[in-house]
């Protein structure tokens, strides 16, 4: 038994409310259970309760045992002076206020149906991956769909926080924010944070000015990534290195001292040299990228916008001094899908929020057109009968697993709540 289950029972009146009595035998009538705020202080504020024909207005505190009142030292806390009812699972001692007046106690275990308890115990039975994995198939599609929308926007709220932090650092320049977000996306898990630092180290005004020469953009990005630090005989390498130090002097930039990018464990098409060249070509071909994608709800337009490849040199190289068979190395559809999921959708959400606009339906519609993600979490849900059809559903499942299942927040989850109702 956990205290959050008692919160659930009280909040939704999941017990026999017609025959309630205090531990001293006084009749109880619940007019209003109060407001559950999950803040410091009593659990439920501004409740209204009638005890022996006397109406009380105040707060309700909930514990597994009455003695927990003293364990938590509430008798010393002025915030608990206005508690009008102590709701417990097991009453093991009397509780008194500072003025020695006794606080009425409701021992809830006598009024809860056995089925409700059994459902709760079944929900929190030992898990192999998540508690409700064997019961997921029983959840109605309507319930699951509504919950997915809530999960999706919870995830977007979380993703928008670092975007607004970047916006403040960039002095409200949304183009600069987009550049940082894309850089992190292009770096994937291994180089993402380093690519972000690189993007932050180069004023976006410099990117704007130099975007007409793709070699200059490559020089800035590869130089900042530490790829141009050595001596090589490669002609293109020497050219980029010359450009890099010239641009550092031209714009009075400091040489980036961050750690070098990682090639290890990457497929060649994901080498940082290739991804940085693609990023440079993107900003070379798209002079006003933010205005193009900030409000775009057309996946076809986004695919076209990101239909860029590497520079000529990188078509025959993955690293300097090592020639390879020629390949255009365009951004793949699956990679652009990741950009839509991890950059474009969160950016559009944050931008609309900053403008006081509502774009929820557009975001859902756009992600409904994107193929579902492939990862271990999505695969596991699929094995339990939840087969996502698009990226909107996979994003919701990731939020569900990471923020609810992993944290045992079953009683805050629509799935858990539905399972508790089942007889």
């Amino acid at each position: 038994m956990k205290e959050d289950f008692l919160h659930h029972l009280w909040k939704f009146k999941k017990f026999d409310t017609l025959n309630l009595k205090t531990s001293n035998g006084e009749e109880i009538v619940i007019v209003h259970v109060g407001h559950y705020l999950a803040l410091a202080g009593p659990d439920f504020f501004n409740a209204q309760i009638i005890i022996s024909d006397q109406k009380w207005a105040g707060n309700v505190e909930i514990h597994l045992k009455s003695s927990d009142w003293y364990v938590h030292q509430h008798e010393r806390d002025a915030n608990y002076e206005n508690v009008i009812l102590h709701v417990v699972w097991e009453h093991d001692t009397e509780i008194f206020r500072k003025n020695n007046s006794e606080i009425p106690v409701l021992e809830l275990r006598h009024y809860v149906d056995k089925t409700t308890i059994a459902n709760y115990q079944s929900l929190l039975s030992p898990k192999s991956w998540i508690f409700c994995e064997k019961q997921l198939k029983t959840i109605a599609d309507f319930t699951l769909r509504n919950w997915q929308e809530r999960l999706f926007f919870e995830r977007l709220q979380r993703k928008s926080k670092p975007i607004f932090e970047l916006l403040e650092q960039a002095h409200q320049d949304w183009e600069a924010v987009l550049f940082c977000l894309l850089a992190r996306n292009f770096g994937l898990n291994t180089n993402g944070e380093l690519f972000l630092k690189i993007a932050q180290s180069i004023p976006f005004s410099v990117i704007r000015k130099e975007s007409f020469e793709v070699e200059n953009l490559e020089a800035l990005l590869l130089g900042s990534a530490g790829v141009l630090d050595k001596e090589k005989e490669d002609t293109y390498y020497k050219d980029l290195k010359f450009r890099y130090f010239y641009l550092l002097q031209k714009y009075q930039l400091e040489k980036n001292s961050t750690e070098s990018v990682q090639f290890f464990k990457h497929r060649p098409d994901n080498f940082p040299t290739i991804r940085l060249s693609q990023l440079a070509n993107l900003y070379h071909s798209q002079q006003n990228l933010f205005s193009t994608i900030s409000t775009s709800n057309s996946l076809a337009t986004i695919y076209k916008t990101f239909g860029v490849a590497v520079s000529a040199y990188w078509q025959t190289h993955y690293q300097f001094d090592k020639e390879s068979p020629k390949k255009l190395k365009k951004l793949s559809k699956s990679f652009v899908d990741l950009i839509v999921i991890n950059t474009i959708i969160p950016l559009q959400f944050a931008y609309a929020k900053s403008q006081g606009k509502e774009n929820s339906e557009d975001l859902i519609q756009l992600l409904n057109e994107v193929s579902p993600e492939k990862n271990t979490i999505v695969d596991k849900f699929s094995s339990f009968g939840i087969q996502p059809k698009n990226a909107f559903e996979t994003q919701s499942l990731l939020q569900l697993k990471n923020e609810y299942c992993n944290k045992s927040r079953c009683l805050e989850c629509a799935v858990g709540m539905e399972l508790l109702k089942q007889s």
Side-chain angles (χ1 to χ4, degrees):
M1 184 69 64
K2 292 184 179 181
E3 205 168 277
D4 59 352
F5 178 54
L6 303 190
H7 292 167
H8 167 80
L9 294 175
W10 179 261
K11 183 178 180 180
F12 297 102
K13 294 184 179 180
K14 298 295 184 179
F15 51 90
D16 179 8
T17 60
L18 299 178
N19 302 294
L20 299 178
K21 290 184 179 181
T22 69
S23 59
N24 293 333
E26 298 174 300
E27 292 186 359
I28 300 175
V29 176
I30 301 172
V31 180
H32 190 277
V33 297
H35 302 284
Y36 182 57
L37 300 180
L39 300 173
D43 296 311
F44 288 83
F45 288 77
N46 297 326
Q48 295 180 37
I49 297 169
I50 299 173
I51 302 177
S52 292
D53 297 325
Q54 173 67 49
K55 187 173 183 180
W56 298 84
N59 305 325
V60 173
E61 177 66 0
I62 295 179
H63 286 130
L64 291 176
K65 294 183 177 182
S66 303
S67 55
D68 289 339
W69 180 277
Y70 294 116
V71 173
H72 299 158
Q73 299 184 343
H74 293 334
E75 77 279 7
R76 301 181 182 181
D77 191 338
N79 289 319
Y80 292 84
E81 281 298 292
N82 197 29
V83 169
I84 58 174
L85 184 66
H86 194 201
V87 178
V88 302
W89 188 252
E90 180 183 345
H91 180 48
D92 59 349
T93 188
E94 306 302 330
I95 300 299
F96 297 89
R97 301 183 181 90
K98 283 185 178 180
N99 62 6
N100 288 325
S101 61
E102 186 176 343
I103 300 175
V105 174
L106 170 62
E107 195 171 16
L108 205 55
R109 63 184 176 135
H110 301 305
Y111 304 98
V112 181
D113 187 89
K114 292 181 180 179
T115 302
T116 301
I117 299 174
N119 286 342
Y120 171 71
Q121 292 173 337
S122 174
L123 180 61
L124 296 184
S125 59
K127 64 175 182 176
S128 58
W129 194 65
I130 59 175
F131 286 121
C132 62
E133 57 191 41
K134 296 180 180 179
Q135 302 154 290
L136 273 174
K137 285 184 179 180
T138 66
I139 302 300
D141 290 341
F142 177 78
T143 299
L144 198 57
R145 178 69 184 185
N146 285 342
W147 182 226
Q148 284 177 330
E149 287 194 18
R150 166 76 178 274
L151 292 168
F152 172 63
F153 287 107
E154 280 186 7
R155 189 169 176 82
L156 281 185
Q157 288 284 2
R158 180 178 60 79
K159 286 186 173 184
S160 68
K161 290 181 180 178
I163 294 178
F164 285 117
E165 290 172 3
L166 285 173
L167 184 64
E168 187 173 346
Q169 296 167 15
H171 306 292
Q172 307 305 307
D173 187 342
W174 281 99
E175 283 278 10
V177 171
L178 174 60
F179 178 59
C180 290
L181 294 174
L182 286 173
R184 182 167 57 191
N185 214 153
F186 273 66
L188 301 171
N189 290 333
T190 307
N191 291 308
E193 291 306 310
L194 182 54
F195 276 26
L196 173 60
K197 291 179 182 178
I198 291 169
Q200 290 177 304
S201 71
I202 307 171
F204 191 70
S205 58
V206 175
I207 299 295
R208 284 192 182 99
K209 292 175 182 176
E210 299 301 330
S211 62
F212 297 98
E213 286 194 62
V214 69
E215 293 83 3
N216 286 355
L217 291 183
E218 282 196 7
L220 280 169
L221 295 174
L222 291 170
S224 298
V227 179
L228 304 178
D229 288 347
K230 298 179 181 178
E231 294 297 327
K232 293 183 181 291
E233 293 303 314
D234 190 292
T235 303
Y236 190 60
Y237 181 92
K238 291 181 178 180
D239 177 54
L240 290 182
K241 189 169 184 177
F242 174 82
R243 287 172 184 266
Y244 175 56
F245 283 100
Y246 167 74
L247 291 168
L248 287 183
Q249 186 176 27
K250 178 181 178 180
Y251 293 107
Q252 296 296 296
L253 302 176
E254 292 186 11
K255 187 179 183 301
N256 201 348
S257 59
T258 58
E259 66 271 23
S260 297
V261 290
Q262 298 296 313
F263 287 81
F264 185 61
K265 288 187 178 180
H266 274 302
R267 294 187 299 108
D269 280 356
N270 283 331
F271 276 4
T273 47
I274 302 306
R275 291 307 183 196
L276 289 175
S277 177
Q278 291 167 335
L279 183 60
N281 277 274
L282 175 63
Y283 274 89
H284 172 62
S285 63
Q286 299 291 333
Q287 304 299 321
N288 298 294
L289 187 58
F290 177 76
S291 62
T292 301
I293 69 170
S294 60
T295 58
S296 176
N297 55 11
S298 168
L299 195 58
T301 299
I302 293 173
Y303 285 148
K304 183 178 180 181
T305 301
F306 284 87
V308 296
V310 294
S311 302
Y313 176 86
W314 296 109
Q315 292 179 17
T316 56
H317 293 77
Y318 287 99
Q319 299 184 65
F320 291 107
D321 281 338
K322 296 180 181 179
E323 196 163 353
S324 60
K326 185 174 182 179
K327 184 180 179 182
L328 288 179
K329 303 182 180 83
K330 292 184 66 174
L331 290 176
S332 66
K333 176 182 176 296
S334 60
F335 188 81
V336 178
D337 285 344
L338 288 177
I339 292 174
V340 174
I341 294 167
N342 296 318
T343 295
I344 295 179
I345 292 292
L347 183 82
Q348 288 187 355
F349 176 77
Y351 182 63
K353 190 175 180 180
S354 73
Q355 302 294 308
K357 297 180 179 178
E358 170 61 44
N359 64 345
S360 302
E361 291 301 321
D362 290 337
L363 298 179
I364 293 175
Q365 181 58 43
L366 184 58
L367 269 192
N368 276 336
E369 299 177 26
V370 178
S371 300
E373 299 157 88
K374 295 180 180 179
N375 53 53
T376 54
I377 291 178
V378 172
D379 290 344
K380 202 71 174 178
F381 273 112
S382 296
S383 71
F384 299 138
I386 306 298
Q387 302 279 353
K389 299 182 288 296
N390 49 58
F392 163 74
E393 294 182 5
T394 55
Q395 282 289 288
S396 300
L397 291 177
L398 291 175
Q399 179 72 5
L400 176 61
K401 179 64 168 70
N402 294 329
E403 298 301 322
Y404 287 85
C405 303
N406 288 354
K407 298 178 181 180
S408 300
R409 294 171 62 191
C410 303
L411 298 179
E412 299 174 58
C413 171
V415 174
M417 295 280 284
E418 185 69 20
L419 291 175
L420 278 178
K421 295 177 185 177
Q422 295 180 5
S423 59

